[in-house]
Amino acid sequence: MTDGVVERSRPRDRILETARDMFHKHGIKGVGVDAITEAAGTNKMTLYRHFESKDELIVECLRANAAKAGAMWDAFEAEFPGDKLAQVHAWVRKAAAMLNADGRGCDMANAAAELTEPDHPARLVIKELKEAQRARLVTLCRDAGIGQAELLADTLSLLFEGARVSVQTVGTEGPSTQFVRMAEGLIVSFRGTAAG
Amino acid sequence: MTDGVVERSRPRDRILETARDMFHKHGIKGVGVDAITEAAGTNKMTLYRHFESKDELIVECLRANAAKAGAMWDAFEAEFPGDKLAQVHAWVRKAAAMLNADGRGCDMANAAAELTEPDHPARLVIKELKEAQRARLVTLCRDAGIGQAELLADTLSLLFEGARVSVQTVGTEGPSTQFVRMAEGLIVSFRGTAAG
DNA sequence: CTAGGGTGTTACCGGTCTGTAACTATGCAA
DNA sequence: TTGCATAGTTACAGACCGGTAACACCCTAG
């Protein structure tokens, strides 16, 4: 039996997990590879044996985040099998929970704010992962029988995205406190219109 | 006659203006003081005679941004004197214009994403300036005779904030294209409810 | 027992970062 | 002309950055 998932896992996994946590808390440019490897209980050489550069490590961290987000969608389906409308409401609750979880916003959005080079490898994966998220929410809304599913999904997306940066700038007592009310009101409103 | 506002202004003003531009384009941690002073046509010593540290320069840049934002509100009042509802719609148009202006989001939000130290001097001014913006929009909505002015203002704020980060992550062709429609729809909807 | 792959250690490279010291040049005002 | 504030120049300190070289150390598979 392994005594601690983080401590006794392979160095590559520890590095990835530690980097994800530190990038999230302190920003990408705010963390050096030395700090990551030390926190992961390893060293710089081992990092560069598994990742060819810091940029590649960043990309892998973002992909790992996306994988966790994908698991979230699967959890909705598992909790409310077939009931797409319930899953939409579950998404709202999950989003609200994230807002109060910590004062840091979305890792993808934060990375996009930091990595300004237009051809940075991370920008590509950020874009495609955000588009995948959007597609899943659109599909969910559509399958829930809501008219104008794209518009509702986009509105909910922007509200959530905005709430995350609002938490980061003014804290949890700002406009983001109204997020659930806004989202639920919108869903009701859109369900009132034509339902395909 | 001075031949160029930027070139012949005082060094302090040139540094401030140049820093604002470069922080906006490349991020705060992505720009060094050497690069700023060189682009401003001066040198590092002069910068440190006018600003006691890079952090103080950052704070001054954020304050300058807020001053420009304040001028925007005054422009609304000048264009539609007394007509608060028209000013709300002017805000929507202005916000939409900002979305397509460039792919970079709000400087305050980006700074908050980069400067993660909880006691960083910039975090205080970011919070108070964001709260001031929110207060102005709430007041405008209330004076426009809209019921639930706070809720509408917060919703519009989150939508705009979210649209700015969406532009930064997936570009101008993403959910942000629907911003005006969402905002106008919300205003109509809120005007339909009780009007005080 | 042995061979080899994964890992750890130390030292280093060249570059960049914020911030400072010491000195020189300029322009304006009395 | 003298005096002074402002600005420019060069050089540097001390720290950190991403990334690499060379070598010693396991642990396990054969």
Side-chain angles (χ1 to χ4, degrees):
Chain A
M1 179 193 293
T2 63
D3 50 12
V5 179
V6 174
E7 264 314 319
R8 277 309 109 202
S9 54
R10 315 281 295 275
R12 186 182 196 279
D13 298 330
R14 278 180 289 155
I15 290 170
L16 204 55
E17 192 71 13
T18 307
R20 281 211 313 140
D21 182 57
M22 296 184 76
F23 286 156
H24 175 74
K25 285 182 187 156
H26 312 297
I28 291 175
K29 300 204 178 174
V31 178
V33 291
D34 274 316
I36 294 172
T37 54
E38 186 187 339
T42 177
N43 54 72
K44 197 156 48 167
M45 269 316 299
T46 300
L47 186 153
Y48 280 102
R49 287 190 191 106
H50 290 286
F51 305 93
E52 74 169 7
S53 66
K54 185 185 181 184
D55 281 345
E56 192 192 283
L57 174 61
I58 294 167
V59 167
E60 289 310 309
C61 286
L62 294 176
R63 289 199 195 280
N65 284 341
K68 255 196 168 175
M72 179 190 71
W73 294 98
D74 297 339
F76 294 157
E77 175 63 31
E79 192 179 2
F80 304 101
D83 189 345
K84 303 298 183 183
L85 186 59
Q87 294 182 33
V88 173
H89 286 105
W91 179 88
V92 173
R93 283 193 303 273
K94 180 73 177 177
M98 284 190 208
L99 290 180
N100 294 340
D102 66 2
R104 294 286 297 167
C106 170
D107 290 332
M108 305 274 176
N110 288 345
E114 285 197 79
L115 310 175
T116 62
E117 304 96 325
D119 57 346
H120 193 288
R123 299 202 68 86
L124 254 174
V125 320
I126 291 171
K127 184 174 183 185
E128 71 188 24
L129 295 178
K130 277 286 180 190
E131 284 171 346
Q133 294 279 315
R134 180 198 181 202
R136 292 201 76 150
L137 189 56
V138 168
T139 301
L140 195 57
C141 289
R142 194 193 316 278
D143 291 351
I146 297 176
Q148 291 184 292
E150 292 91 349
L151 186 57
L152 174 60
D154 285 348
T155 308
L156 291 176
S157 291
L158 294 193
L159 275 181
F160 180 42
E161 206 91 69
R164 297 201 81 170
V165 328
S166 176
V167 167
Q168 209 164 20
T169 53
V170 303
T172 52
E173 307 300 315
S176 64
T177 53
Q178 307 293 330
F179 170 75
V180 171
R181 195 204 298 200
M182 300 171 187
E184 295 292 348
L186 279 166
I187 294 171
V188 168
S189 169
F190 273 73
R191 270 175 51 85
T193 68
Chain B
M1 181 194 290
T2 63
D3 47 12
V5 179
V6 173
E7 265 313 320
R8 277 309 108 204
S9 55
R10 313 281 295 276
R12 188 181 195 278
D13 299 329
R14 277 180 289 155
I15 290 171
L16 204 56
E17 191 71 14
T18 306
R20 280 212 312 141
D21 181 57
M22 295 183 76
F23 286 156
H24 174 74
K25 285 181 188 157
H26 311 296
I28 290 174
K29 300 205 178 176
V31 178
V33 293
D34 273 317
I36 294 172
T37 54
E38 186 187 338
T42 176
N43 55 74
K44 198 158 42 168
M45 271 316 300
T46 300
L47 186 151
Y48 280 103
R49 287 191 191 104
H50 289 287
F51 306 92
E52 76 169 6
S53 67
K54 185 186 181 183
D55 281 344
E56 193 193 283
L57 174 62
I58 294 167
V59 167
E60 290 309 310
C61 286
L62 294 176
R63 289 198 194 281
N65 283 342
K68 255 196 168 175
M72 178 188 70
W73 295 97
D74 298 340
F76 294 158
E77 174 64 31
E79 194 180 0
F80 304 100
D83 188 346
K84 303 297 184 183
L85 185 60
Q87 293 181 35
V88 174
H89 286 104
W91 179 88
V92 173
R93 283 194 303 275
K94 179 74 178 176
M98 283 189 209
L99 290 180
N100 294 339
D102 64 3
R104 293 287 295 167
C106 169
D107 290 331
M108 306 273 177
N110 288 346
E114 284 197 79
L115 310 174
T116 62
E117 305 96 325
D119 58 345
H120 192 289
R123 299 201 69 85
L124 255 173
V125 320
I126 290 170
K127 184 174 183 184
E128 70 188 24
L129 295 177
K130 277 285 180 192
E131 284 171 346
Q133 294 279 318
R134 179 198 182 202
R136 292 202 76 151
L137 189 57
V138 168
T139 301
L140 195 56
C141 289
R142 195 194 316 280
D143 292 351
I146 298 176
Q148 294 185 291
E150 292 90 349
L151 187 57
L152 174 60
D154 284 349
T155 308
L156 292 176
S157 291
L158 293 193
L159 275 181
F160 180 42
E161 207 88 69
R164 296 201 81 171
V165 328
S166 175
V167 166
Q168 209 164 19
T169 53
V170 302
T172 52
E173 307 300 316
S176 65
T177 54
Q178 306 293 331
F179 170 75
V180 171
R181 195 203 297 200
M182 299 171 186
E184 295 293 348
L186 279 166
I187 294 171
V188 168
S189 168
F190 273 73
R191 271 174 51 85
T193 69

